Amino acid sequence: MGSLDGERSITGWAAKDSSGLLSPYSYTLRKTGPEDVFIKVLYCGICHTDVHQAKNEVGFSKYPLVPGHEVIGEVVELGSVVSRFRIGETVGVGGIVGCCGACEPCNSDAEQYCRKKIWSYNDVYLDGKTTQGAFAPNMVVNQKFVVKIPDGLPPAETAPLFCAGLTAYSLMKNLGLNKPGLKGGILGLGGLGHMGVKFAKAMGHHVTVISSSEKKRDEAINHLGADEYMISSDPSAMQAANDSFNYILDTLPVHHRLEPYISLLKLDGKLILSGGFISSPMQFFVSMLNMGRKSIYGSLMGSIAETEEMLEFCAKKGVTSTIELVKMDQVNSAFERMEKGDVKFRFVVDVAGSNPSP
C-alpha cells in the first residue's frame, strides 16, 4: 500500500462551498511518520456537526472540506515506533487528532479541552497541512488518537460511538450519573438522544424520552427500551413531571426554551446541554436554578482514555448504535434526511464498500 516515506494522493468527498453539497475531491495525505498509523477507512458515521461544518453554520469552515469524525478503519501500515497496533486490526478515530500534550487538560486525560487541540477535519495539522476527515478511503493519524475496537463490537454500528456515544458516556461519567437508580430524561431522539437512552438503561436508570410529538413513541419504548415517553407540548404531562428528574440530557441541535426542562429537575438536578453547535444564545431565568440548587452543564465529546473505557463498557453490555447504512454517493441525500429527522437513528457511510470515486 505504498511507502511509509511518501505522500499519497486519494479522493474523498468534500464540500466546496457553503451550499454543503459534497462531491469528489482529490488531495494528498501526509506521509506516515514514526508515530503514525495509516488507516483504511471502513465506515464513518454522519454527525450533525458534519452538516454544520459543511454549510459553514459555525462560521469558520475552510474549503474544500472533507467531513467525517466517527471512524472505523483497518490498520494498513505502522510508523517505525508504533507498537500498540498490528497490521489488520480494526481501530477507531474520533473528533481530534492532535493536542499540545503539555497543558492541564492534556495531563489529566481531558485532551479534548486542550486549547491547541487539532480537529479531525477543518483544521491545520502540525505540518501546516489541512486536516481532512473520513469521507475518504484513508487517513493518517498519530497513534495517540487511535483506539482498538474490542472483539464482539460490530464495526458499522460502532462508528457513531466515537462521537454520539462518547458524548453521552463522558457526560454521565463525569457528572456522577453512571450509577443505578437515577431517573433521567432524554430530550430529543436523534443520533445522540438514542445513545443517551441506551447508555442510561445500561447504567440502570429509569428513562423518559421527551419529544415534541407522538411519532417516536414506539421507537423509544419498544425498540430502545425507554420506560416512559412524554410530549413536551402537553402542559399537563409536563406539570405532572415537575421536580422529578435527577438529570435531563438535552440533545436538541436547534435553539429552544430551557425553562420547561429546568422545571422538571428535582433538587440538585442537572440539565445537560449536548446538542452541538447552536448559533443563537440560549436564555433562562437564573432564579429557576437557585430555587432548586439546579445546574446547567455542557461537555465536549470525551478523552481517548474515556473512549477506551466506553468501548469496553459497550462490549460488556452489548451497547451499539442503531444505524442506517448508506454508500458514499448517497451522502448528500443522507445530510438532507438527517436535517429532517428522517433516520433511525444514525447514518453510517460504508466507505470501503462504496464504488471508488471518479
Side-chain angles (χ1 to χ4, degrees):
M1 190 71 181
S3 167
L4 286 151
D5 298 325
E7 295 182 337
R8 299 170 171 87
S9 180
I10 65 171
T11 300
W13 281 66
K16 312 292 179 54
D17 54 45
S18 60
S19 70
L21 290 175
L22 273 60
S23 60
Y25 164 64
S26 294
Y27 59 100
T28 302
L29 290 176
R30 74 174 190 273
K31 66 180 182 180
T32 308
E35 295 194 29
D36 288 333
V37 180
F38 183 77
I39 296 169
K40 174 185 177 181
V41 177
L42 302 177
Y43 301 99
C44 185
I46 299 179
C47 175
H48 262 103
T49 300
D50 297 322
V51 177
H52 293 320
Q53 296 279 23
K55 293 187 174 183
N56 197 27
E57 293 174 347
V58 186
F60 52 81
S61 296
K62 306 176 187 71
Y63 300 107
L65 181 156
V66 179
H69 63 277
E70 298 179 340
V71 190
I72 299 295
E74 177 187 336
V75 176
V76 175
E77 288 180 351
L78 299 171
S80 59
V81 302
V82 177
S83 59
R84 297 175 51 230
F85 304 100
R86 299 191 308 273
I87 303 298
E89 277 188 320
T90 303
V91 296
V93 178
I96 63 173
V97 293
C99 63
C100 78
C103 65
E104 182 178 352
C106 286
N107 288 328
S108 57
D109 284 333
E111 66 277 352
Q112 71 272 30
Y113 298 109
C114 173
R115 296 187 68 177
K116 296 182 180 180
K117 63 182 169 290
I118 301 172
W119 298 106
S120 299
Y121 66 86
N122 196 35
D123 209 342
V124 178
Y125 200 66
L126 300 173
D127 59 359
K129 292 178 70 72
T130 300
T131 59
Q132 302 289 8
F135 290 0
N138 301 100
M139 295 181 76
V140 178
V141 184
N142 184 285
Q143 63 173 332
K144 175 179 173 60
F145 301 95
V146 181
V147 177
K148 293 180 183 178
I149 305 301
D151 293 339
L153 284 179
E157 289 87 344
T158 299
L161 297 180
F162 278 79
C163 182
L166 181 58
T167 298
Y169 182 87
S170 178
L171 281 164
M172 291 180 177
K173 172 192 171 184
N174 286 292
L175 294 178
L177 303 175
N178 56 338
K179 58 187 179 183
L182 300 180
K183 183 175 181 179
I186 308 297
L187 177 57
L189 199 59
L192 178 55
H194 98 285
M195 290 309 310
V197 174
K198 290 190 176 192
F199 277 118
K201 289 300 297 180
M203 292 174 182
H205 300 178
H206 182 282
V207 179
T208 299
V209 169
I210 306 169
S211 186
S212 60
S213 72
E214 285 280 354
K215 69 178 184 178
K216 294 186 177 181
R217 180 183 292 273
D218 180 66
E219 297 162 4
I221 301 295
N222 296 322
H223 295 278
L224 298 178
D227 300 286
E228 297 184 56
Y229 189 89
M230 186 165 65
I231 307 299
S232 59
S233 58
D234 182 343
S236 59
M238 292 287 284
Q239 185 173 2
N242 278 351
D243 303 313
S244 65
F245 288 90
N246 296 106
Y247 69 90
I248 293 173
L249 180 61
D250 181 347
T251 74
L252 298 182
V254 296
H255 185 272
H256 55 282
R257 294 177 58 216
L258 298 182
E259 290 93 340
Y261 310 107
I262 296 174
S263 297
L264 298 178
L265 299 172
K266 60 169 58 177
L267 180 67
D268 291 325
K270 298 171 175 62
L271 176 62
I272 308 164
L273 303 181
S274 57
F277 296 106
I278 299 175
S279 58
S280 302
M282 306 287 277
Q283 296 179 326
F284 59 91
F285 293 104
V286 175
S287 60
M288 298 186 70
L289 302 181
N290 297 342
M291 296 301 290
R293 207 162 59 199
K294 303 173 183 181
S295 305
I296 296 178
Y297 288 88
S299 180
L300 179 68
M301 300 183 299
S303 68
I304 296 299
E306 287 174 331
T307 304
E308 294 172 333
E309 180 183 309
M310 173 205 64
L311 291 173
E312 291 296 337
F313 178 90
C314 290
K316 179 179 179 180
K317 297 287 188 177
V319 175
T320 59
S321 182
T322 302
I323 68 166
E324 180 177 336
L325 204 61
V326 296
K327 300 297 186 182
M328 196 68 253
D329 60 4
Q330 298 172 298
V331 68
N332 290 311
S333 173
F335 272 23
E336 292 177 6
R337 287 180 54 197
M338 185 173 64
E339 289 190 288
K340 298 175 182 177
D342 180 24
V343 56
K344 299 177 183 178
F345 288 94
R346 195 72 151 185
F347 282 116
V348 171
V349 181
D350 179 5
V351 179
S354 299
N355 292 327
S357 300

